Amino acid sequence: MEAGPVDSGPTDGDWAAAEALLRGLPSDARVLLICHVNPDGDALGSMLGFGLGLRRLGVRGLQATFPGPPEVPEPFRGLPGLDLLVPAAEAYPDPDLVICFDAASESRLGDLVDRLERAGAALVLDHHASNTRFGGVNLVDPRAAATSVVAEQLLTRLGVPLDAGIAECLYVALTTDTGSFRFEATTPAVHEMAARLLATGIRPGDISRRVFDTRPFGAVRLFGEALGRARLEPAAAGGRGLVWTWAGLDDLARHGQRPYVLEALIDSVRCTAEADVSCVVKQTAPDEWAVSLRSKGAVDVSRVAVALGGGGHRFAAGFTGHGTVDEIVDRIRAHLDGAVIGSVTG
Ligand code: AMP
Ligand code: MN
Ligand code: MN
């Protein structure tokens, strides 16, 4: 955990302002929930879980959305609350209230960023230390393991009881961002929250199998190819080591796979014993690549990601790259030495 004021959570005043925004809502208020582009389990789970909570509060004019094509990744197609989703193009142009989930900056909202200016009010729920506080009211807690932790706290303050639907969404979010309770962020408070969610009767085995342990055979074969061309560079990152691989649009096409199947590939790469840092470069357009970076604890990969135009957390970060895979990895390599924790340049 980093020191300094940016790392402290919301103040009493922030919580009170958020509560006032939501308690004062007329039941026909047009409320637009937005999560970050290429939504992951925390983005969708915290947004839909909070949306179901607002529905229980009696808010009727709810919409949930995310930028880009309105395609929910297969692992999340069983989430409760999906009926709240609308394509970005159909989202209220001028909502009474916008609530943003798991987005560290406006750039993560893509084309939906204009809703912030046109909305009557904007509330931000997030847990990225790099959050730019782009809302009128910001509930940003960098100590929280997931945005769903902040969402649950706000629902509790609003007096909304957890039901199985809300709990399943928040559980998917919590397990996504803690790597199913394996990462350092897995505090006693995380397990206490998990206990409250499980007490609603949700089935963790079914949920985990659906969300984490299921992929099409084509994706299994594609992972095999991508892992087969992984490179290990023991001297990179000041000798901590780098392991990386990539997958292109032609790989996806050859195996008949959608781009989101590659989100899980980093988990098969980062287990490499000989490297602290792992990286997967995933093509999203002819000259555009989504880059995922992970560290086991020796390197602050968010520094690398921020230097290359992205963001994230210390040990899980990403950015959008352009050019060839080799050019992108060259740029990463050049920033890694300075990102070793405790290095003078950082
Ligand atoms: P991912 O590797 O996509 O799972 O992302 C890991 C972390 O990096 C998440 O916290 C993301 O919010 C953040 N991240 C990934 N891509 C970007 C990007 N292009 N810009 C800013 N943050 C990003
Ligand atoms: Mn996220
Ligand atoms: Mn998150």
Side-chain angles (χ1 to χ4, degrees), residues 36 38 40 102 104-105 107-108 127-128 177 263 266 282 291-294 305 309-313 316-320:
H36 68 68
N38 301 327
D40 53 24
D102 204 38
S105 66
S107 66
R108 301 282 284 159
H127 68 129
H128 291 88
D177 272 24
E263 296 310 304
I266 189 73
K282 298 162 281 189
V291 183
S292 289
L293 292 166
R294 300 290 185 270
H313 307 283
F319 67 95
T320 302

Side-chain angles (χ1 to χ4, degrees), residues 1-9 133 142-143:
M1 202 172 296
E2 289 160 63
V6 287
D7 240 18
S8 54
R133 271 71 174 173
R143 297 162 309 183

Side-chain angles (χ1 to χ4, degrees), residues 238-253:
R240 273 74 175 178
L242 166 69
V243 58
W244 63 273
T245 192
W246 59 279
L249 292 175
D250 55 340
D251 296 315
L252 288 167

Side-chain angles (χ1 to χ4, degrees), residues 107-150:
S107 66
R108 301 282 284 159
L109 304 180
D111 288 345
L112 287 161
V113 70
D114 65 345
R115 304 306 199 280
L116 285 175
E117 285 156 30
R118 299 211 204 122
L123 170 62
V124 166
L125 271 63
D126 188 35
H127 68 129
H128 291 88
S130 61
N131 188 288
T132 58
R133 271 71 174 173
F134 57 93
V137 178
N138 300 284
L139 298 179
V140 178
D141 189 351
R143 297 162 309 183
T147 295
S148 68
V149 172
V150 181

